[in-house]
Amino acid sequence: MKENLSLASLRNGFCLWSASSLTLVCTALTVLPVTGWAATSTAPECTNTPSKSGKKNITACPTDKEHVVVRGKRAAFTATTSTSHISTQDMQAYRMQTLGDIAERVPNLSFTNTTPNNPVLMVRGLGGTEDEGPVLYTPVLIDGVPVPSFAMGQMFDFSNVDVLRGPQLTEGINAFGGMVSAQSRDPGKQLAGAVDFEYGTGNRKRATFSGDLPINASTSLRLSVGGETADGYIHNRALDRSDTGGWHGWFGRIKLLHTDSNGGEWRFSLHHMLNHGGNDYFETPEHARNHASYNTSAGVNDTEYLLGSAQYHRRFSQHMILDVTFGGASTDWRYSNPYSVFSANSGFTLPTRQIGGSVMLSGSAGTLDWKGGIYGQQVKRWAPYDFDMAPYYTSHTTATLGTANIAFMGELGWHFSPSWRLAPSLRIEHVDSSISNWTSSMSGSVPYAYSIQESLPRQTLSKTAPLPGLKLEYNPQSSNNLSQFGWLSYTRSFLPPNYSPYGSYASTVAVPYAPSYGNNLELGYRLGHPTGRWSVEAIGFANFLSNLQVSATNGAGESLIGTASTAHSRGMEASAHWKPINTLQLNAFLGLTYAAYDHFVFGGTDYSGKQMAGTPTSNFGFSGEWHPMPGWMVNASVVRRGRTTLYPSSSVQNAPYVLFDAQIEKRWKRWSVALYGHNLTNAGYFTRGLSGGYVVAANPRQLGFRVGMSF
């Protein structure tokens, strides 16, 4: 978010923003690492059968498509990366309804937001700047189509969300810090429907409907619609109102699934989300902690996205699979602060239009397996920003940012022994970037009259970057009691160069910022029971970064994107789950991250040695699911997140806090009733901070109930 605090600082408030049949082992266990909420289903049992030679047994495991395959992305390859898989059952049991809810409850994922419905994600310390420029450290995908996380708002009717930590070279879109991939629920093959109603603290009301309509034996349709309204959790004492942080909106999705005569699966989906709300969140820490406001207006926070996706998945044989994804998204964010925040009218509109897709082919032959494809995308973003402190100072900038990129990617796996696989990979990324329609006007009449008008002709640049990767995987033969999988990987990562849209002077905006590069190492190991009764996992990582793109303010008060010449991020993730009895499952996770600038001087300030804002050095959690009797389910979780400085202002501290959530649910044949509590200890903490001392507080304790009926 851009900010203006005074005439002297202009835009003061710096922003530091920061696989294959071999590995398809019986560890569908856990094939995707388990967070405290990831493994709620039992993995398929494996069987040992004698080989034809009689020399040794061959272990065969039924595939569990939900855990192994994210359709259109990783059809034949197990993900050798740190991943958290969150199912629709997890999202409902722990009431994860926004990306922020997920970010607080998985290891080494964090977020910043200006309002609860607009989280911007950070993975292992990297990210946070989507509203400052076109750079996506952590792409968010819905049915394979990227959408800015700040526009996603409420999540609805997803079958799963996968959080991939670390750079991804062969997953389609370029991912520097990580990736979040959400898949909407497929239409069912039987006529069915469900209605849910929820009411909770803050006069929050949410109603949803979903239904499956089979058209014929090979084609079915799913429709999901819903709406939500809330007064919010802010009491504005100046206006004597309790709805200035409220919101109302609706969302809907229609999805078609068709299986053709060749076994190919076609998926077409159309998604729409519209949300209108207030923006009464910035206050002093004392007031924000009590969710009190003295602002003189509610402000505006309106978001919308329209997204279309087409996916095709076909297995030609046991040795070849084709995945195609194509789609586009239109997102809009209209944002303005209450006048009293900066003693000025300030805000922006941020429309973004993008279209693209990928074609991926994977297969195997003998001791080799391979995966390759092409990805392309075109994005345009309009970025006007207004700051009006008349008569002292007024600023208005406009800019249109354009980005087109194409990438060729491939991976070749060699099973050089029964337990080992070596897989080099290569991604060649080409990016064309431009800024056009850039104008800047600054004026004032007190204490003296002045006016500055500047503009720039269209500026363009291009960059091609080869990005190699190498993985060594260890996958010994599974026994009846133990499955293992380990890997060591190196990945070269890349963020493209571009222009700073919010600069005030042509001389600085015309100079593009440099591309960022990373050399990333990851070491991971998993152990588990083939039936999924238990699993443990530990992953260590180290990222060595150069020219890291950082949003900051220079000496002239311009909001620009600079580059930290060197920086690093290192740490680990660990997770475990245990099912001691069929009616009880226990889970745990741990995340450790230290992300800091090694050498970074900008705007006369030396940030060298300082930790990147917005990322706690530690977070860990425990959760459990208990079925005390048929039809009853009890869920509870405890998460602790460590101390951090707030993004984007590293001068504001966020103390450690603990989140305690619980839900009890009773199900009958067609009915369900649940009582839930979110943040039951009413932990007070902040999600964003400004250099002027203002902060945004997270939501307080929330209590509510949910009633559902299926038919």
Side-chain angles (χ1 to χ4, degrees), residues 289 291 656-660 679-685 698-701:
R289 186 175 286 109
H291 297 91
Y657 60 91
V658 176
L659 296 174
F660 177 41
N679 187 13
L680 282 169
T681 58
N682 202 29
Y685 60 102
N699 292 337
R701 179 192 296 115

Side-chain angles (χ1 to χ4, degrees), residues 207-226:
T208 61
F209 164 81
S210 59
D212 296 322
L213 176 65
I215 298 174
N216 54 43
S218 59
T219 308
S220 53
L221 190 70
R222 182 174 179 84
L223 173 67
S224 57
V225 295

Side-chain angles (χ1 to χ4, degrees), residues 98-106 108-130 138 149-150 180 613-616 619 641 644-648 654 657 659 678 685-689 696-699:
T98 71
L99 286 176
D101 294 334
I102 290 178
E104 289 185 305
R105 291 159 178 85
V106 301
N108 287 340
L109 182 64
S110 55
F111 73 101
T112 180
N113 64 7
T114 51
T115 70
N117 289 329
N118 300 99
V120 178
L121 300 177
M122 292 173 277
V123 180
R124 294 174 172 175
L126 305 178
T129 57
E130 287 189 18
T138 306
S149 65
F150 61 70
V180 176
T615 299
N619 63 330
R641 298 181 67 85
T644 183
T645 55
L646 289 180
Y647 176 94
N654 206 21
Y657 60 91
L659 296 174
H678 220 45
Y685 60 102
F686 308 122
T687 61
R688 197 173 182 96
V696 174
N699 292 337

Side-chain angles (χ1 to χ4, degrees), residues 34-36 535-537 574-578 586-589:
V34 181
T35 69
S535 69
V536 293
E537 172 187 82
S575 61
H577 94 275
W578 179 40
L586 304 174
N587 312 280
F589 77 85

Side-chain angles (χ1 to χ4, degrees), residues 7 16 32 36 57 69 88 191 230 270 306 330 366 370 377 401 425 461 505 549 621 656:
L7 176 60
L16 293 180
L32 296 181
N57 290 343
V69 176
T88 185
L191 182 65
L270 183 65
L306 177 65
S330 170
W370 49 272
Q377 180 180 244
L401 294 165
S425 60
L461 60 88
Y505 298 97
Q549 295 168 13

Side-chain angles (χ1 to χ4, degrees), residues 44 77 91 103 153 173 205 254 263 309 383 539 545 548 570 590 709:
F77 283 70
M91 287 182 267
I173 190 171
K205 299 180 288 288
I254 186 169
S309 173
I539 299 164
L545 310 164
L548 183 66
R570 61 176 181 261
L590 168 68
M709 183 186 71

Side-chain angles (χ1 to χ4, degrees), residues 6 39 66 74 87 118 149 181 221 224 268 294 299 368 458 463 540 573 601 605 619 637 639 671 676:
S6 67
E66 181 186 13
R74 295 181 295 279
S87 69
N118 300 99
S149 65
S181 180
L221 190 70
S224 57
F268 301 94
Y294 290 86
L368 299 178
R458 177 183 171 89
K463 184 66 179 180
E573 291 105 26
V601 179
T605 303
N619 63 330
S637 71
V639 174
W671 291 88
Y676 66 81

Side-chain angles (χ1 to χ4, degrees), residues 393-394 396 439-444 450-454 504-505:
Y393 174 74
T394 300
H396 175 71
T439 64
S440 173
S441 62
M442 294 176 287
S443 62
Y450 73 97
S451 179
I452 301 174
Q453 306 283 333
E454 291 195 321
S504 300
Y505 298 97

